[in-house]
Amino acid sequence: MSEILHILSFKLLSSVKLTMELRIDNIVKNLASIIVFGGFAIGAFYFTQTSTAYLLDNTRIGLFLFHRFLSMLLFVFFLSINVGNIIVAYATFYRSEETMYLLT
């Protein structure tokens, strides 16, 4: 849990350093961002901890099957991130003003 608190404090510090203007809209935007990021980080931490404990303790699948399951899960996550990046890259490339120049 100390890692999560360290990440959240670093995010807070970097966000304060990036926006030095003390306007109300910047403060509200940064606080909302910190709350959303913190909520997601804490939720992902507890979900992972609970699901790992359930798989290892209650179902007793063993470390070999757990590592196989985890590697497949991370591989699917890796592929989905890459496919999303490919789609964004193609969309950005064909919307650029330099596309006609590059294709000639």
Side-chain angles (χ1 to χ4, degrees):
M1 189 64 188
S2 65
E3 294 90 6
I4 298 292
L5 292 176
H6 176 69
I7 290 171
L8 289 176
S9 66
F10 182 75
K11 175 71 176 166
L12 176 66
L13 198 67
S14 67
S15 126
V16 167
K17 285 184 179 180
L18 285 177
T19 57
M20 292 302 284
E21 298 178 36
L22 291 177
R23 293 188 350 228
I24 190 71
D25 57 340
N26 283 341
I27 294 172
V28 170
K29 181 182 71 164
N30 288 333
L31 283 176
S33 173
I34 289 169
I35 290 171
V36 169
F37 177 76
F40 178 76
I42 291 171
F45 176 77
Y46 282 122
F47 175 75
T48 305
Q49 185 180 24
T50 305
S51 61
T52 300
Y54 175 76
L55 286 174
L56 290 176
D57 295 337
N58 293 352
T59 60
R60 299 173 197 245
I61 63 171
L63 287 177
F64 179 75
L65 287 177
F66 178 70
H67 287 144
R68 285 287 180 153
F69 174 72
L70 195 60
S71 66
M72 286 188 301
L73 185 72
L74 290 174
F75 181 68
V76 167
F77 179 69
F78 172 75
L79 285 180
S80 65
I81 294 295
N82 279 337
V83 167
N85 286 340
I86 289 169
I87 291 170
V88 169
Y90 277 124
T92 303
F93 177 70
Y94 287 114
R95 288 180 183 237
S96 174
E97 297 174 0
E98 299 174 349
T99 302
M100 293 306 293
Y101 173 73
L102 293 172
L103 292 176
T104 58

